[in-house]
């Protein structure tokens, strides 16, 4: 099998097992919807500042990914299937495959939660294109870093609390910029003057993917 | 020999302390509060130095798998964290005197907070892994991963966004901001003194850490 | 094997550089004067330097007013009932926290940045001249 087909095999395996249990997707979506309802219920229509709305949306997405993304490797560790992965694939293949799975998960959650958020907060996004590019590039960076951290916490204790602690400072730049860019996309003025924010998110995503796949070897190989 | 070095460093640091309090004149405008630069700047410099050292030793550990590098990385990170806390405290005190507020989420304050969180997370990770070999490997990886976010914190946030923080004393334009020669003397003495102190603590801590780990191994 | 790391870290360094460069003008707690005026009533932070000689005590003797100028030359009239910080007159830039009300910026809190020159304190006579 060549490189790409092994990556596809990793993705295929995870999509199948996720399709059977729907555990990660369900828990992430339920978390998002619950917190969205709580936020919208307690704040009502009082939050009209686009920056604040953007911050709320990203806080919800950030914490839901803190819950669902570490499962990528924690699951393998718990089922004792980590060694099977080590035997069958190169580390970078596993990393890319798991990263794409996490990206898919995050994209589905974002694609469902964002419209819901806009409806509940009565926003009709004036620049959906800018928002979609922001969310997509932030999601790539987020899933790359979270995949590496997932492999780290899989070998540690107290994973549930450790993961956000490890992830928060590293993801801080991408979080801040994503909030800023989303806020701009909710303003009536054209946000394209701020496209340097998107450049930053894209650069962060590349650093995440390249750095993640290089460092992943050391985490994965025992 | 260690006693001679220790006495030497103690003498320099006493000199710096006395010099900072009595020898240097109070600064224009800032008055007596400006004396914080003899402590705040060296302490911040040491924490940057220690974190860079920690990163370098982590890279070396992944290359060689030699536990000695992990000892150095951990000790550097610990010292860096302590000096970073000191920099935060001296900074907040000076901010109260000069800007009229202890904490205002000025860009500098944001970046130092995230820096503190990174290394607290580093030690959190260390304590959460029981197998020593795995712990060393994972800690080194996290140290390197965190360093990718570091340029953003150290160089971008404070330098590009308008900040209330005074420009760095020795800056790229080469213009020296300290004009009085007595201040300059004490300032550089403080930098050298703190750097020597750092290396002294560093060497001692490495020896202590080696013994601690040797004991842990023999206990098992 | 070694080339992989060299290439990888070159890519990372390049991306960090581009990413850092791209952020040059975004994200600060301080908003431009224009936006502060537009966001009437909402609390914001603005940063600027004091226009020389614009500091005045108003008629009722309870409030100070002054004009801030940002680096692009835009100006903002600020009024505050707070006491001015001690080294206010010497400040190279000032942060005002407050909100735009009708025709001026009402500051709830003032922060000053001092000139970053650590000079020796000037002679008493010179200092005396600056006092009103």
């Amino acid at each position: 099998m060549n490189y790409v087909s092994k990556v596809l095999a990793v993705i295929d395996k995870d999509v199948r097992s996720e399709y059977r249990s729907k555990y990660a997707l369900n828990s992430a979506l339920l978390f998002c919807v619950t917190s969205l309802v709580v936020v919208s219920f307690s704040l009502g229509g009082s939050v009209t500042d686009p920056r604040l709305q953007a911050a709320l949306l990203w806080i919800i997405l950030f914490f839901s990914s803190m819950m669902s993304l570490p499962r990528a490797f924690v699951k393998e560790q718990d089922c004792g299937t980590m060694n099977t992965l080590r035997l069958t694939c190169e580390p970078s293949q596993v990393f890319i495959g798991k990263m794409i799975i996490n990206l898919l998960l995050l994209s589905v959650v974002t694609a469902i939660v964002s419209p819901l958020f806009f409806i509940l907060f009565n926003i009709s996004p004036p620049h959906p294109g800018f928002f979609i590019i922001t969310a997509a590039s932030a999601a790539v960076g987020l899933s790359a870093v979270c995949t590496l951290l997932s492999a780290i916490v899989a070998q540690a204790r107290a994973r549930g609390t450790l993961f956000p602690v490890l992830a928060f400072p590293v993801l801080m730049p991408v979080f801040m910029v994503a909030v800023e860019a989303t806020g701009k996309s909710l303003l009536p003025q054209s946000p394209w003057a701020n496209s340097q924010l998107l450049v930053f998110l894209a650069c962060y995503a590349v650093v995440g993917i390249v750095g993640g796949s290089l460092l992943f070897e050391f985490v994965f190989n025992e | 020999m260690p006693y001679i070095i220790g006495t030497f460093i103690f003498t320099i640091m006493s000199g710096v302390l006395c010099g900072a309090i009595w020898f240097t004149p109070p600064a224009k405008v800032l008055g007596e509060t400006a004396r914080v630069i003899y402590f705040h700047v060296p302490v911040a410099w040491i924490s940057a130095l220690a974190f860079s050292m920690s990163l370098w030793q982590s890279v070396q550990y992944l290359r060689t798998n030699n536990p000695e590098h992990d000892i150095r990385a951990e000790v550097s990170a610990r010292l860096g964290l302590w000096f970073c806390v000191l920099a935060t405290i001296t900074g907040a005190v000076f901010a109260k005197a000069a800007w009229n507020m202890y904490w205002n989420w000025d860009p500098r304050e944001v970046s130092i907070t995230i820096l503190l969180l990174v290394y607290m997370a580093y030690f959190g990770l260390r304590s959460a892994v029981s197998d020593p070999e795995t712990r060393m490997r994972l800690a080194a990886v996290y140290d390197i991963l965190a360093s990718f976010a570091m340029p953003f914190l150290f160089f971008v946030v404070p330098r590009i966004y308008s900040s209330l923080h005074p420009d760095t004393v020795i800056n790229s334009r080469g213009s020296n901001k300290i004009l009085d020669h007595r201040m300059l003397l004490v300032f550089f003495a403080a930098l050298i003194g703190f750097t020597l102190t750092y290396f002294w603590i560093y060497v001692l801590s490495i020896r202590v850490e080696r013994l601690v780990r040797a004991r842990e191994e023999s206990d098992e | 094997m070694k080339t992989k790391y060299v290439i990888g870290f070159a890519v990372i360094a390049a991306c960090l550089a581009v990413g850092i460069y791209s952020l040059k003008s975004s994200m600060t707690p301080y908003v431009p004067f224009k936006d502060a005026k537009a966001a009437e009533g909402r609390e914001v932070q603005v940063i600027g330097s004091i226009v020389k000689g614009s500091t005045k005590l108003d008629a009722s003797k309870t409030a100070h007013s002054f004009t801030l100028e940002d680096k692009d030359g835009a100006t903002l009239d600020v009024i505050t009932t707070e006491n001015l910080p001690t080294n206010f007159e010497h400040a190279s830039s000032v942060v005002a926290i407050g909100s735009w009300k009708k025709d001026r910026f009402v500051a709830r809190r003032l922060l000053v940045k001092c000139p970053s020159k650590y000079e020796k304190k000037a002679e008493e006579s010179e200092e005396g001249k600056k006092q009103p």
Side-chain angles (χ1 to χ4, degrees):
Chain A
M1 282 208 286
N2 62 16
Y3 192 90
V4 178
S5 60
K6 283 219 176 172
V7 172
L8 288 177
V10 172
I11 298 172
D12 182 50
K13 167 200 147 304
D14 268 22
V15 169
R16 272 164 204 253
S17 75
E18 180 57 35
Y19 182 74
R20 280 182 204 144
S21 68
K22 300 185 190 64
Y23 177 90
L25 193 60
N26 277 346
S27 58
L29 274 179
L30 281 177
F31 175 85
C32 277
V33 171
T34 315
S35 46
L36 191 57
V37 168
V38 169
V39 166
S40 134
F41 185 64
S42 48
L43 293 172
S46 63
V47 182
T48 48
D49 179 9
R51 234 199 97 98
L52 213 52
Q53 289 169 338
L56 282 175
L57 176 61
W58 278 103
I59 289 170
I60 293 170
L61 288 175
F62 183 80
F63 279 101
S64 93
S65 48
M66 290 300 99
M67 289 183 43
S68 54
L69 300 191
R71 260 184 62 80
F73 286 102
V74 169
K75 183 180 62 188
E76 306 282 350
Q77 188 84 10
D78 287 351
C79 302
T81 47
M82 202 74 141
N83 284 332
T84 324
L85 276 179
R86 285 194 183 103
L87 281 174
T88 46
C89 299
E90 291 278 309
S92 66
Q93 293 164 343
V94 178
F95 180 79
I96 302 283
K98 288 288 186 184
M99 194 198 86
I100 291 173
I101 282 293
N102 273 347
L103 183 59
L104 283 176
L105 187 64
L106 203 54
S107 312
V108 171
V109 170
T110 315
I112 295 173
V113 170
S114 316
L116 216 56
F117 182 87
F118 292 141
I119 292 167
L120 285 176
F121 281 83
N122 194 22
I123 310 164
S124 38
H127 306 283
F130 193 83
F131 172 72
I132 290 169
I133 298 175
T134 304
S137 41
V140 176
L142 207 68
S143 46
V145 170
C146 286
T147 306
L148 180 66
L149 290 175
S150 158
I152 290 180
V153 294
Q155 301 178 41
R157 285 169 292 161
R159 297 148 171 175
T161 42
L162 190 61
F163 189 80
V165 169
L166 293 181
F168 175 74
V170 183
L171 292 175
M172 197 60 202
V174 78
F175 182 75
M176 280 156 69
V177 175
V179 169
E180 188 78 14
T182 308
K184 294 274 192 260
S185 82
L186 298 181
L187 287 170
Q189 302 97 314
S190 168
W192 294 101
N194 300 95
S195 50
Q196 79 275 11
L197 295 172
L198 300 183
V199 175
F200 176 83
L201 288 176
C203 288
Y204 187 95
V206 176
V207 172
I209 295 170
V210 176
S213 49
L214 289 180
L215 288 173
F216 182 70
E217 266 187 53
F218 299 103
V219 181
F220 192 57
N221 290 337
E222 284 196 318
Chain B
M1 192 61 187
Y3 293 104
I4 301 171
I5 297 173
T7 319
F8 177 64
I9 292 171
F10 182 76
T11 319
I12 292 189
M13 287 308 284
S14 321
V16 167
L17 193 63
C18 297
I21 294 173
W22 291 297
F23 180 60
T24 55
K28 190 164 136 190
V29 184
L30 290 174
E32 307 291 345
T33 57
R35 295 185 199 282
V36 79
I37 68 157
Y38 307 120
F39 304 101
H40 178 69
V41 177
V43 157
W45 144 250
I46 294 302
S47 83
L49 183 71
F51 288 144
S52 319
M53 180 73 110
S54 174
L55 168 65
W56 172 244
Q57 295 295 347
S58 291
V59 172
Q60 291 303 310
Y61 176 76
L62 289 186
R63 277 186 50 195
T64 60
N65 273 326
N66 181 355
E68 180 63 24
H69 289 301
D70 181 68
I71 292 179
R72 293 185 186 174
E74 189 190 355
V75 164
S76 302
R78 197 186 299 142
L79 285 177
L81 192 56
W82 280 117
F83 277 96
C84 200
V85 169
L86 287 178
T88 314
I89 295 169
T90 50
V93 170
F94 183 64
K96 178 64 186 172
W99 312 341
N100 194 21
M101 227 171 178
Y102 283 114
W103 204 261
N104 186 42
W105 291 113
D106 194 75
R108 272 282 169 175
E109 292 168 334
V110 172
S111 49
I112 205 162
T113 310
I114 300 176
L115 193 62
L116 285 173
L117 288 177
V118 165
Y119 282 92
M120 287 181 197
Y122 172 83
F123 285 104
L125 175 62
R126 290 197 80 99
S127 60
V129 186
S130 39
D131 174 50
E133 197 272 332
T134 315
R135 173 169 59 224
M136 296 185 219
R137 207 156 34 82
L138 297 183
V141 168
Y142 187 70
D143 205 353
I144 297 170
L145 178 70
S147 75
F148 295 151
M150 220 61 85
F152 179 84
L153 303 176
F154 254 127
F155 298 108
V156 191
V157 180
R159 267 166 224 204
I160 290 167
Y161 314 143
S162 350
S163 165
L164 285 173
H165 193 280
D167 296 344
T168 36
V169 172
I170 302 155
N171 55 28
S172 51
R173 291 187 295 280
S175 61
N176 222 321
K177 297 290 179 113
I178 303 182
L179 300 178
D180 183 74
H181 63 278
R182 280 180 290 172
M183 289 180 173
L184 212 55
L185 180 71
V186 174
F187 180 72
F188 280 107
L191 274 185
I192 294 165
F194 270 98
T195 310
L196 289 176
T197 314
Y198 160 71
F199 276 110
W200 191 50
I201 304 175
Y202 177 62
V203 170
L204 287 179
S205 310
I206 288 172
R207 281 166 57 193
V208 172
E209 187 64 29
R210 272 189 210 132
L211 293 175
V212 168
R213 291 198 187 183
R215 197 186 61 189
E216 270 166 14
E217 253 169 55
S218 66
D219 281 353
E220 274 161 19
Chain C
M1 200 62 184
K2 193 130 193 184
T3 41
K4 189 173 82 180
Y5 292 108
V6 174
I7 295 168
F9 281 97
V11 171
I12 289 171
C15 282
L16 281 179
V18 176
I20 284 166
Y21 184 77
S22 67
L23 274 190
K24 259 194 161 167
S25 57
S26 344
M27 296 208 311
T28 126
Y30 312 119
V31 304
F33 293 166
K34 190 160 51 73
D35 297 1
K37 289 176 188 171
E40 183 164 350
R42 191 157 64 83
E43 182 158 297
V44 291
Q45 303 194 8
V46 292
I47 189 166
S49 58
I50 308 162
V51 175
K52 280 248 151 53
S54 66
T55 314
K56 285 190 281 288
L57 193 63
D58 79 345
S60 59
K61 301 254 191 264
T62 52
H64 292 273
S65 68
F66 55 91
T67 307
L68 283 183
E69 186 178 15
D70 70 6
K71 54 184 189 301
D72 306 322
T75 57
L76 182 79
D77 294 322
V78 183
I79 186 159
T80 182
T81 50
E82 287 278 301
N83 291 328
L84 297 181
T86 36
N87 30 33
F88 183 75
E89 278 295 306
H90 301 284
S92 61
S93 42
V94 170
V95 168
I97 307 171
S99 56
W100 182 258
K101 300 241 168 71
K102 269 199 326 221
D103 57 345
R104 61 201 170 178
F105 190 83
V106 180
R108 186 176 60 79
R109 183 116 220 205
L110 292 172
L111 279 75
V112 295
K113 174 180 180 169
C114 295
S116 50
K117 291 208 185 301
Y118 296 93
E119 284 178 76
K120 190 175 76 163
K121 199 173 188 170
E123 298 306 314
E124 277 312 311
S125 58
E126 217 180 304
E127 195 77 341
K129 266 188 279 177
K130 288 194 183 123
Q131 304 293 330

